[in-house]
Amino acid sequence: MSANDHDELLARFEEDRSRLRSIAFRMLGSADDADDALQEAWLRVSRAETGDVENPAAWLRTVVARVCLNALRTRRSRREQSLVHVPDPIVSPDSGPGPEDSALLAEGVGLALLVVLEGLSPAERVAFVLHDVFGVAFAEIAAVLDRSPEATRQLASRARRRVQGQAPAPDPDLARQREVVDAFFAASREGDLDGLIAVLHPDVILRSDGGSGRPQSTVVLHGAEEVAGQAAATSRLSPFTRRVLVNGVPGVVVAPRGRLQVVMAFTVTGGRIVAIDVLADPHRLSRVDLGRLEG
């Protein structure tokens, strides 16, 4: 590669960085992992022969996708089978995310969706993210996965069915979503089980990930009565909640005496809470900067 080719490639990579990071984030579910993937992709790009590259944007996208695919396969082989894994959340002030967070959340990537994506195979996740989120053609995705376009189409279709069944889209009105979540906490503080059940969908699911540091907090609860009972039992934490956005939807952080214990994200569909996703893993919570949530 000539020095001129190298400079042109660097310029194109930087031009596409935000888009490539968004792709990596949706595939990996972590901003830190997405940054690592981009670094690895750049190392590969800088060593590659690019004289016959006809479509630089597609080529860079393919490199990033292959790095993410390898990372997903490694993660799947190393991670113990756990009850639930809640990916690292993007926690923003209730007033709205900053420019960097907004870029990651532009296509809509709620925490509930990322939890469901965690249950897909690496190939299903890559096919779904590239096609359904970013509109990449199946022929290009097939080259990433080393499969035929038809097999790739089937992977995306299978993933789509799971996502639609387990991660419904939140209501479009963010203010209305927040009203429902506020009503949930008001009922929780008052120990009002009927009030809690009224704002919960009958088939609501609560997924909590305590990680290795708090395994007793790793639970999955199904149904309005079970989730309402859990909310009423933990109402003592209500005074320590702070309203935030979690991956662009209403949520709270729970921080008694300024020490973060829980991040919660709520998916509100049809005016009711259909999913509550909770991160209670002390190690990963330590990465959340409470100071940047002012505003």
Side-chain angles (χ1 to χ4, degrees):
M1 180 188 304
S2 70
N4 187 56
D5 288 340
H6 184 277
D7 290 343
E8 290 181 1
L9 194 58
L10 176 59
R12 185 55 190 254
F13 191 92
E14 291 303 324
E15 180 182 339
D16 291 354
R17 177 178 288 275
S18 178
R19 184 76 165 172
L20 294 172
R21 187 169 183 255
S22 294
I23 291 172
F25 173 70
R26 282 154 184 74
M27 288 189 187
L28 301 176
S30 162
D32 289 341
D33 288 350
D35 289 336
D36 289 344
L38 254 63
Q39 178 64 26
E40 172 62 23
W42 169 242
L43 292 175
R44 294 190 182 191
V45 168
S46 65
R47 296 193 297 260
E49 292 294 334
T50 60
D52 58 350
V53 174
E54 297 181 359
N55 186 335
W59 185 74
L60 291 173
R61 189 165 54 228
T62 296
V63 173
V64 170
R66 284 176 173 162
V67 170
C68 291
L69 179 62
N70 289 338
L72 288 170
R73 287 169 172 165
T74 300
R75 176 193 294 176
R76 192 178 183 90
S77 65
R78 289 179 179 175
R79 180 179 291 161
E80 296 181 359
Q81 293 299 316
S82 59
L83 187 63
V84 63
H85 176 74
V86 174
D88 296 346
I90 296 178
V91 186
S92 311
D94 195 43
S95 56
E100 184 175 355
D101 290 347
S102 294
L104 283 182
L105 300 172
E107 285 84 6
V109 61
L111 200 60
L113 172 59
L114 288 177
V115 172
V116 174
L117 292 182
E118 288 288 314
L120 302 179
S121 72
E124 287 173 338
R125 186 165 185 169
V126 169
F128 175 81
V129 168
L130 286 179
H131 182 266
D132 284 49
V133 179
F134 292 97
V136 178
F138 284 120
E140 181 180 325
I141 305 171
V144 174
L145 299 176
D146 293 323
R147 307 205 184 192
S148 70
E150 181 55 34
T152 302
R153 185 188 301 273
Q154 292 175 0
L155 284 170
S157 177
R158 187 160 61 239
R160 189 179 308 116
R161 288 194 297 271
R162 292 186 61 180
V163 168
Q164 291 174 344
Q166 299 180 39
D171 290 341
D173 188 337
L174 186 60
R176 176 55 184 151
Q177 293 180 51
R178 174 57 73 184
E179 289 176 6
V180 174
V181 174
D182 286 347
F184 171 88
F185 279 103
S188 174
R189 284 192 298 271
E190 297 167 7
D192 180 3
L193 282 175
D194 289 338
L196 284 166
I197 290 174
V199 297
L200 294 170
H201 189 277
D203 298 322
V204 63
I205 182 170
L206 182 149
R207 297 168 287 223
S208 176
D209 179 0
S212 59
R214 201 177 290 161
Q216 71 277 11
S217 295
T218 298
V219 296
V220 177
L221 304 179
H222 296 273
E225 292 188 2
E226 191 171 8
V227 172
Q230 174 69 15
T234 57
S235 60
R236 68 188 185 282
L237 296 176
S238 293
F240 306 107
T241 61
R242 183 190 308 181
R243 290 167 41 155
V244 296
L245 293 177
V246 183
N247 290 62
V249 300
V252 300
V253 294
V254 181
R257 295 173 295 281
R259 299 185 63 180
L260 183 59
Q261 289 190 0
V262 170
V263 173
M264 304 176 67
F266 294 79
T267 303
V268 178
T269 302
R272 288 188 172 186
I273 297 168
V274 297
I276 305 173
D277 291 289
V278 182
L279 181 63
D281 181 345
H283 173 67
R284 289 193 287 140
L285 287 174
S286 67
R287 305 173 189 169
V288 178
D289 181 6
L290 286 177
R292 71 186 289 264
L293 300 180
E294 303 296 337

